Amino acid sequence: VARLAPSAAKNSPPQAAWEIKPVQQSMAIAVAANAVLLAGNSSNTTADADHGLTAHSLEDGTQLWTQPLSASPIWWGIATDHAGHVFVTLQDGSLVAFGHCD
């Protein structure tokens, strides 16, 4: 995932301002108000992989936090809401939610 910086020339392509390579196999991505969220696996084989969710700053790409997942996320199985909750659907049929509980 790369954040694109504005280009100096009108017709030239934008340049990447930063780049993230947190997981071997990214399965899902979402952009929140202050972060890019990536869910995926540490390897291409889901049987032996560590599964996780990471949040990276929109400003500079630094990792804000990470959370292990009990199973591999499904493709595009991540969503956010206006209050900052994050929902991840896993291949074992589970839905996990992160955020504030009132």
Side-chain angles (χ1 to χ4, degrees):
V1 174
R3 182 177 76 90
L4 300 178
S7 177
K10 286 186 177 184
N11 294 327
S12 63
Q15 301 298 312
W18 50 260
E19 188 173 343
I20 300 171
K21 295 183 181 176
V23 292
Q24 180 71 22
Q25 184 182 35
S26 295
M27 305 290 286
I29 184 170
V31 179
N34 66 336
V36 174
L37 301 159
L38 295 168
N41 305 313
S42 62
S43 73
N44 287 326
T45 58
T46 59
D48 297 327
D50 289 326
H51 319 289
L53 173 67
T54 59
H56 295 269
S57 167
L58 284 178
E59 292 297 316
D60 60 10
T62 57
Q63 184 174 309
L64 300 173
W65 52 263
T66 186
Q67 178 67 41
L69 299 171
S70 60
S72 182
I74 66 166
W75 286 104
W76 301 107
I78 189 171
T80 63
D81 70 9
H82 72 284
H85 301 104
V86 179
F87 305 91
V88 183
T89 306
L90 306 180
Q91 289 185 8
D92 67 0
S94 322
L95 173 67
V96 291
F98 303 96
H100 304 287
C101 296
D102 296 329

